[in-house]
Amino acid sequence: MKRRKQIAIWLAVAALAAGAISGCGKKAKETEPEPEHSEEAAETPATAEGLLGQAGENFAEASSVKGNLSMEMVMDYKAQGVEATLECRMEQKVEQTREPEAVHMVGTVDINLAGITVDTETYTVEENGKYVTYTGSGGQWMKESEEKAGGRGNVTETIALLLENPSALTMEQVNAEDGTPLYRVSGTITGENLSGIMSTVGTLLEENADVYDGLEAKAELLVDASGTLRELSMDFTDSYNTLMQANREAQGFDEVAVTSFVITISGYEFDTVPEITVPDEVRQNAVDMDALETMPGGESPEETGNPEEPESRDYTIHQNEKGEYVLGTNWDDNTAGIACPEGFVYDEDSDKTWLHFNRREHDDVHDLTLTYTLYTMDENYGEADLAQSQESSYAYMLTSGDYAEVSFDGVQTVTAAGRTVSYTKLSYIYMGTYYTEEYNSWTVLPDGRMIQCTVKEESREEPCSLIDPSEIFDTAFAALAE
C-alpha cells in the first residue's frame, strides 16, 4: 500500500503548470471605461513594459483561459557507477476558470527511462476552502488536498515580477505564421521570487529564501499589439541544475546535470470555458491520499474499517468450505479462492479485496509478504495498466532523495504452477536503511479475470535474502483455486 502514497514525477510538473503558468489570476479592479484611443496614441511605439502591463490586465480580467502545455525535462546522471539519461516530456490541454477557481488538464506523459507513455488527466477545484486535486492515470484516480494559499505564481504574478525591473526586459518584433506582427518580450525572475513559482517542482525546493538566492528563471512572452498573450515559456534549466548539483549526494547521484527544463503554454484562448466540474465517477473512485497519510502503516479506509459497522461488512474476509480465503472486489460480485501458500501465515489485517500472507525471519528483520488482488479486465484496465504501476514508481524514485540503488526490470514471463505468469521487479533502499525487493506479478484466469500477487520483501539494515525467483511464483500461484 505504500506505493499508493508515491506521486509520480509528472504530478509535480502538473502542479507547477497549473499553479505557475495557467492561472487566470485575481479579477482586476473595476475601472471607468477608457476613452477611445486617439490616432496619436495608436501610433505610440510599443514598449516591453507597456505590452506586459496590458497583457497582465487582460489576463486578470479573463473569466477563463485555455491553451496547450508542453514540458520537457532532461537529466543526465551517474549513480552507483551506472550512467543514464532521464527524459520526461508532457503534452497537455489546459483549461481554467476563475470563478469558481478550477483547472482541468488532459494529455500524455512520456518517460524514456521507464519506456512508457501514460495518459493523464487532472482536475484541481476548490472544496471547503481547500485546493483539491484529482489525478488519474490508467483508469485509477487519486485525490489530494492542500490549504488555500496565496502566492502560487500565476501568470499575472509572473508578469508583475518581470515588471519589477523593466530596464532588464528586452523586446523584438516577430511575425506569427499568418503574418500577424507579434512582440517577444524576455526577462528573468530571480532570487526568492522563484519560491512561489518553483516550490511545486519537487522536494528539493523548499519555501526558504536562502535556497533561491542567486537563482533565476528565464521567461519569454509572445504578445500581440493589443496586449493579448499568445505564448508563455519558462526556462528553469539553469536554476534546477544548480539545485540538483547542490543536493547531488542527498539525491543519491555520483554525477548529475539537468540539461533542459522548459515549460511552454501556447494557443491561448480567453473567455471560452463555461465551467469545469469533476465527474461523479472520478469523485467516487478516487483514493484519498490525505486519508492514507493519517492512517497507521498507510492502510486504506477499507482496510481499517470497523467490522461491526454495517457498511464494512463487504470488506470482511472469510474461508470457504475448502479452507481457502475468499478474495473479492469492491466493484462487482466476482470472487476467487486463495489457499494459504506453503511457508506463510495468514495476516489478520487482510480484507476482502487485499489478501495478505506473511513470512518473517531473523527476528522480524526480513519480512516477505504475498498480497493478492482480483481484477475484472476491460477496456479501462488491463495488463498494461497493471505493469505501469511499478514503472511510474521507478521514475519517481529516480528523482527523489529518499531512495538509493533503484533498479527496475521490465515485464518478463515465466511458467509457474502450470500457469503463465508475468512480472516486473523493482528494488531499492529507502532512507538508507530499508532494503526492498518487489515483484509485481499476475496471471490471467480462463474466464478473463486477472489475479495479481505482489511479492514484496522488506529488510532492515541488511540486503533482502528471502525471495528465490525460481520458486516464489510457484509458491504464490499454486495457492489459487482451480
Side-chain angles (χ1 to χ4, degrees):
M1 296 298 293
K2 292 180 181 178
R3 295 281 69 74
R4 295 170 71 183
K5 294 182 179 180
Q6 298 176 345
I7 306 301
I9 184 173
W10 59 81
L11 303 189
V13 176
L16 172 68
I21 294 182
S22 65
C24 295
K26 296 181 179 179
K27 187 174 182 179
K29 295 180 180 179
E30 297 292 339
T31 58
E32 294 294 327
E34 294 184 6
E36 295 185 4
H37 294 291
S38 65
E39 185 175 328
E40 179 181 354
E43 296 178 355
T44 302
T47 65
E49 184 177 4
L51 287 170
L52 284 193
Q54 187 61 53
E57 290 182 19
N58 292 344
F59 221 108
E61 292 172 355
S63 63
S64 70
V65 61
K66 66 190 301 185
N68 303 313
L69 179 146
S70 297
M71 185 281 300
E72 176 187 69
M73 189 192 77
V74 181
M75 182 175 70
D76 298 322
Y77 69 91
K78 181 178 181 180
Q80 288 84 47
V82 177
E83 297 183 11
T85 297
L86 171 64
E87 298 180 9
C88 181
R89 291 180 171 83
M90 179 168 67
E91 299 290 337
Q92 300 279 315
K93 299 287 187 181
V94 183
E95 57 183 2
Q96 181 176 25
T97 58
R98 186 183 65 233
E99 294 180 359
E101 287 188 85
V103 180
H104 177 225
M105 303 201 307
V106 60
T108 60
V109 176
D110 293 290
I111 302 177
N112 75 305
L113 209 56
I116 59 174
T117 298
V118 181
D119 294 327
T120 64
E121 187 169 9
T122 303
Y123 293 89
T124 299
V125 295
E126 277 193 286
E127 295 180 1
N128 301 319
K130 293 184 177 182
Y131 286 115
V132 180
T133 298
Y134 297 85
T135 303
S137 178
Q140 296 182 331
W141 286 89
M142 294 178 292
K143 170 185 175 182
E144 286 193 304
S145 304
E146 64 175 327
E147 294 295 333
K148 186 174 180 179
R152 286 182 57 84
N154 56 42
V155 171
T156 51
E157 181 180 349
T158 300
I159 291 175
L161 291 173
L162 291 170
L163 288 173
E164 288 183 357
N165 188 13
S167 62
L169 298 174
T170 62
M171 183 183 73
E172 63 174 326
Q173 184 172 336
V174 296
N175 291 323
E177 292 183 0
D178 61 1
T180 302
L182 301 175
Y183 297 90
R184 178 182 288 115
V185 181
S186 303
T188 58
I189 300 174
T190 61
E192 64 181 10
N193 291 329
L194 285 179
S195 62
I197 295 178
M198 295 185 71
S199 60
T200 57
V201 176
T203 56
L204 284 178
L205 310 178
E206 303 296 337
E207 294 287 350
N208 184 334
D210 294 338
V211 174
Y212 300 92
D213 187 31
L215 302 182
E216 66 178 27
K218 302 172 184 177
E220 285 191 357
L221 299 89
L222 284 180
V223 185
D224 65 20
S226 68
T228 299
L229 184 63
R230 297 291 189 90
E231 180 177 299
L232 171 60
S233 176
M234 297 289 288
D235 189 338
F236 300 99
T237 304
D238 293 340
S239 289
Y240 201 67
N241 182 55
T242 299
L243 288 173
M244 291 296 289
Q245 295 284 352
N247 292 270
R248 173 174 52 85
E249 293 183 1
Q251 293 290 298
F253 296 119
D254 301 323
E255 300 174 10
V256 63
V258 177
T259 59
S260 179
F261 195 163
V262 181
I263 298 177
T264 301
I265 290 188
S266 58
Y268 276 109
E269 296 181 20
F270 300 94
D271 302 322
T272 61
V273 182
E275 185 180 16
I276 295 173
T277 57
V278 181
D280 291 339
E281 181 180 357
V282 171
R283 293 182 184 274
Q284 294 167 3
N285 294 330
V287 176
D288 191 339
M289 306 303 287
D290 299 319
L292 295 181
E293 291 288 347
T294 61
M295 291 186 171
E299 298 91 343
S300 67
E302 301 97 304
E303 293 172 316
T304 56
N306 185 346
E308 296 179 358
E309 297 178 358
E311 59 269 27
S312 299
R313 288 176 184 169
D314 287 342
Y315 299 105
T316 59
I317 196 161
H318 62 277
Q319 291 176 277
N320 59 21
E321 64 279 2
K322 297 180 181 179
E324 301 162 339
Y325 295 89
V326 178
L327 176 68
T329 64
N330 284 334
W331 52 89
D332 55 37
D333 295 327
N334 288 329
T335 59
I338 309 286
C340 183
E342 184 178 355
F344 289 76
V345 296
Y346 171 70
D347 189 330
E348 295 293 339
D349 289 333
S350 298
D351 65 25
K352 171 186 173 182
T353 60
W354 296 85
L355 179 56
H356 303 262
F357 299 97
N358 292 326
R359 174 185 166 195
R360 293 184 173 90
E361 287 190 6
H362 306 311
D363 296 324
D364 291 349
V365 171
H366 294 264
D367 190 345
L368 177 58
T369 303
L370 305 183
T371 304
Y372 294 88
T373 49
L374 175 65
Y375 296 98
T376 300
M377 293 190 294
D378 54 27
E379 67 276 6
N380 297 316
Y381 194 79
E383 292 188 72
D385 300 291
L386 195 154
Q388 284 180 359
S389 63
Q390 279 197 332
E391 292 172 339
S392 60
S393 293
Y394 172 59
Y396 167 79
M397 291 177 184
L398 290 173
T399 65
S400 171
D402 294 338
Y403 301 88
E405 298 187 20
V406 183
S407 67
F408 176 73
D409 296 336
V411 177
Q412 301 179 57
T413 303
V414 297
T415 299
R419 305 172 186 273
T420 299
V421 174
S422 301
Y423 71 92
T424 60
K425 177 188 176 184
L426 179 66
S427 61
Y428 53 89
I429 302 174
Y430 178 67
M431 299 299 288
T433 301
Y434 300 96
Y435 291 74
T436 301
E437 285 188 5
E438 184 172 345
Y439 290 80
N440 182 31
S441 61
W442 62 92
T443 189
V444 179
L445 302 178
D447 60 7
R449 295 179 300 160
M450 180 167 57
I451 292 283
Q452 178 192 11
C453 181
T454 301
V455 181
K456 183 177 181 180
E457 180 181 354
E458 295 178 295
S459 176
R460 288 168 288 281
E461 305 292 349
E462 59 185 67
C464 299
S465 62
L466 298 184
I467 297 178
D468 182 350
S470 66
E471 298 180 356
I472 191 64
F473 299 123
D474 279 306
T475 300
F477 289 97
L480 272 63
E482 294 298 332

